[in-house]
Amino acid sequence: QAYPNAAPRSDTNLGGYGQEAYGSSQSGAPLQPYPGQGQAPMQPMPQRQYNAGYAQPQPYAQQQAYPQQPYPQQAYPQQPVYPQQPYGAQDGYAATPWPMSPAAREAQANAASTAPLPYGPTRTTTRHASTKKGSAKATQPAPVYAQQPPPYPQQQGYAQPYQPYQPYPPQQPYQQQPYPNQGYYAQQPYIPQPPTGYAQPYYPPGTNAPNNPQANVANAQTLGVAEELAQVNREQASTVSGGLIFRNRAGEDGLSALTDIEAPIQGRIKAGNGHVVVTATPVTLDAGTASNDPTTLARFGAGLSTGSDSAAAKGNNNFGSQTASGVGLSVGYDSRSISGDIGVTPIGFRETNIVGGAQYNGGITDKVSYSIAVARRAVTDSLLSYAGARDAATGLEWGGVTSNGGRASLSWDDGTSGLYVNAAYQHYMGTNVPSNNAIKGGGGVYTRLLKDADQTLTIGVNTTLMGYNRNLSYFTYGQAGYFSPQQYVILNLPVEWSGRYEQFTYDVKGSIGVQHYREDPSNYFPTDPTRQNNAAAFASGSQAPNGVQANQVYPGQSKTGVSYSISGVGEYQLAPQLAVGATASLGNAYEYREWLAAVYVRYSFNKQTGLQPFPPVPLTSQYLSLSN
């Protein structure tokens, strides 16, 4: 019988014992009331060892640290143990974390699920063995937390930075993958070439002379992405240019002398892989006025062919000053491999001719290239050959010569050295002048002594050979006024230095050598036997002026001498869309001494960025070459 005031004891009060009346016995003995309660005296209960001194029970020290719920039910094996959180932080052992060495942690990870923890004995509940609930868990081992390694070892303690997912491998730089189907576009700037004029001498590849359109592979460079894009933009830009060219050829006033002023205006309009090129060129020519010397007058126009009444015999100058002016027009298409144009010599000249040409540039290998061209061009050696002349005393007009033919060239260049050969055939014709035929050829070798990203120095040796079947170099009626020797050989040692400095680009060329030519005798009037006979008869008579050629035949001659030439071009990018430039040259190729100077301005409809390509390409007339 329990006392009315006796309260049941709980696990909390008894440190984990069951709800039992005080003095309960496991033997099943009935409860006895305390003495002094009005009932029979109680039989003393046998004392159990573990209840000895129960009046002042002492809690077990090892039980105070454990929580109410057994330890294995509070932790989750799937939770990884992070290094920054010690083991005891999750189950009440924060004050005394488990001392785990690296070797013990590795052994723990490899241990079987039933193996004891390497850092201490298996923990069990401290419930009395008589408690069924406690005894069931007394032998259950603590879970092995280290048996499941963290699924993302790279994130443990953030020792390794997080690597984002990359679905594609890193791309190769653009400079290793040049633009397809562009040939040399990405490595060599496209340089438009002026129309090929076959009356001019030949130059080695890379000099930008009109007869040698091969690209200068010395300037081939591997470009970065931004620079390559800037270069392509420059190549494809539409531009408009204008300039003034002044040319002077030394000679005899009224005959071989010439002052030539031209003001080309050119528009280049992007179309496909090239440009449509439209050019208008005002031209003014002045050969001066011949002196009143009869020996001079006898070598122009009708000369002495009119007999004793000839103005030349009397020393009167009545054939007038020799000038001409007009505007030349042309339209064409210019691309890297194909170019062509058609136009007219200046309208307003005494003789106007349709001119034009086409050219194809190709490659056999990456080092061997070739070009094939056909053309009809004005011969600009003199006012007579360029514009035609007029003898005011007799009304005779003649001249206005064109060369018509084809040319082929073959070159090899490995980027440091090169060689080339070329050959051409031309047929010359004009108004009231005999036709003429010429065969030309040449070749040379060169090497680049200096070549880097900003400059190139080239030296070489070249030669040119040519021969005409008629000598028509003079100015009487029927002569054509252009250099036409029967044999011509020149050997040159050319030097070229080109480069850039910031926004300025330059190209300086010079050569020195030796030239030899031979000319056959030529009648004063090769197209008119009657005039030739009359002039010869008068020159043999008593009234003939002193010094006049008696048989009216220009004598043949043979000369050998030093040849030289020097030229320079400079261009400055004044603004992203505006460039200005100038050029000058001096030389004595063939039998003429000529100098030339020019200034020009170029406006681009796209902003030009990146490095300036070199050598610069100056604006020139479609009728002229800037170097000889």
Side-chain angles (χ1 to χ4, degrees), residues 460-465 487-494 511-517 559-565 588-591:
V461 179
N462 63 37
T463 184
T464 298
L465 303 90
Q487 184 183 82
Y488 179 84
V489 178
I490 185 171
L491 180 66
N492 276 327
L493 302 175
S511 71
I512 189 168
V514 60
Q515 61 181 348
H516 169 82
Y517 67 89
K559 291 185 178 180
T560 301
V562 174
S563 67
Y564 62 87
S565 69
N588 72 336
Y590 303 158
E591 63 177 354

Side-chain angles (χ1 to χ4, degrees), residues 196 258 507 523 552 569:
T196 304
L258 178 64
D507 185 22
N523 290 335
Q552 293 291 277
V569 179

Side-chain angles (χ1 to χ4, degrees), residues 309-326:
D309 294 330
S310 171
K314 299 177 182 179
N316 295 327
N317 178 10
N318 63 352
F319 57 76
S321 63
Q322 298 300 302
T323 61
S325 62

